[in-house]
Amino acid sequence: MKIIGLIGGISWVSTADYYKLINQGMNEKMGGLNFSECLIYSFNYADIKKNNDANDWDRTFEMLFKACQFLKSGGAEAILLCANTMHLIADRLEKAIDLPIIHIATETAIQIEKQNLKKVALLGTKFTMELDFFKEKLSARGIEAIIPENSEDRDFLHTTIFEELGKGIVTDETKKHILRITNELIENGAEGVILGCTELPLVIKPEDVTVPVFDTTLIHSNAAIAFQLS
């Protein structure tokens, strides 16, 4: 079994999901008392959020690079960034640390391609929705990503992710609002929905919408298992 390193705490809620999903999935594959051999470096979310608010991605890179070095020194043979937004610097980190970083957007694109979908909704933080780092991985496979047209809807998703979901808080009102945004994107031609924030599966379930749902946390965790067993 290959050893993987997880960079989490962004947020701890989704990091716990990663740990659970990877270990459960590994045990389903191997049986007995076999579970994932992994290392976790968990950040104080407030430090990352401070950088995000200042748009200081160089500082975030420095922090994540040190975490990658820590994991590599512990024997990690690949790295998972347990947050979609952090993949803004994933390619840069991969070159600097000289270890594979299993890219959440690439793995998601592969799963969408398997279902022959060409147009999907992308939900997440404003960084994930508005910048190109996630969409580029999709477009490389001929997949178009659409995001909420209304800036107020994008602001709502962004704020909710940090102020509620990242703390493990889920309310009926929030779910109703996010489903309204999602259904509008489906009406605008989305053939599937990417939960492009690792906390969004707390709110949206496959049975909530009429099109396929791509849970990036689950997809990323399955990719980690495949790597470990490769």
Side-chain angles (χ1 to χ4, degrees):
M1 181 190 304
K2 293 179 180 176
I3 302 172
I4 55 170
L6 310 178
I7 294 182
I10 35 183
S11 70
W12 73 266
V13 177
S14 59
T15 307
D17 288 338
Y18 269 93
Y19 186 71
K20 180 179 179 179
L21 288 167
I22 291 171
N23 277 286
Q24 285 180 337
M26 186 65 74
N27 188 250
E28 288 171 6
K29 296 283 188 183
M30 300 185 70
L33 291 176
N34 290 291
F35 296 97
S36 173
E37 188 169 0
C38 62
L39 306 170
I40 301 175
Y41 189 108
S42 189
F43 279 104
N44 174 9
Y45 201 1
D47 295 335
I48 299 293
K49 180 65 162 58
K50 181 180 178 180
N51 295 341
N52 289 347
D53 291 344
N55 203 31
D56 189 352
W57 290 100
D58 286 338
R59 175 58 184 150
T60 296
F61 173 82
E62 291 170 6
M63 292 170 66
L64 266 66
F65 179 65
K66 288 181 180 178
C68 286
Q69 288 179 310
F70 178 85
L71 296 171
K72 185 176 182 178
S73 69
E77 299 169 79
I79 303 290
L80 267 77
L81 309 179
C82 300
N84 283 271
T85 299
M86 291 302 104
H87 285 76
L88 174 61
I89 55 174
D91 292 341
R92 182 180 170 192
L93 273 173
E94 186 172 59
K95 291 177 182 177
I97 196 63
D98 195 28
L99 275 184
I101 290 183
I102 301 172
H103 201 294
I104 199 167
T106 299
E107 298 299 332
T108 301
I110 290 169
Q111 297 306 313
I112 295 169
E113 189 177 43
K114 286 180 180 178
Q115 296 199 33
N116 296 314
L117 306 183
K118 296 298 182 184
K119 187 175 184 179
V120 294
L122 175 61
L123 304 178
T125 66
K126 291 178 71 174
F127 304 112
T128 300
M129 291 187 291
E130 296 176 358
L131 301 178
D132 291 333
F133 69 93
F134 199 111
K135 292 181 233 181
E136 284 175 346
K137 303 296 185 184
L138 298 173
S139 63
R141 293 178 179 270
I143 302 162
E144 176 189 359
I146 60 173
I147 64 173
E149 294 181 358
N150 190 323
S151 62
E152 291 180 0
D153 286 340
R154 298 197 298 274
D155 289 340
F156 174 81
L157 284 165
H158 185 87
T159 301
T160 298
I161 287 165
F162 286 107
E163 300 301 326
E164 294 182 25
L165 304 184
K167 300 176 183 179
I169 300 169
V170 181
T171 67
D172 290 340
E173 188 62 28
T174 291
K175 177 164 184 168
K176 182 179 178 181
H177 198 154
I178 293 177
L179 282 175
R180 192 266 304 163
I181 294 169
T182 304
N183 285 322
E184 286 182 1
L185 290 167
I186 293 170
E187 290 171 5
N188 288 336
E191 302 169 302
V193 177
I194 299 172
L195 304 184
C197 170
T198 49
E199 284 82 25
L200 281 173
L202 294 170
V203 183
I204 299 179
K205 309 298 181 185
E207 60 270 21
D208 290 330
V209 295
T210 58
V211 298
V213 171
F214 296 91
D215 177 343
T216 55
T217 307
L218 178 59
I219 291 168
H220 207 197
S221 297
N222 286 337
I225 293 165
F227 176 85
Q228 288 198 271
L229 295 177
S230 65

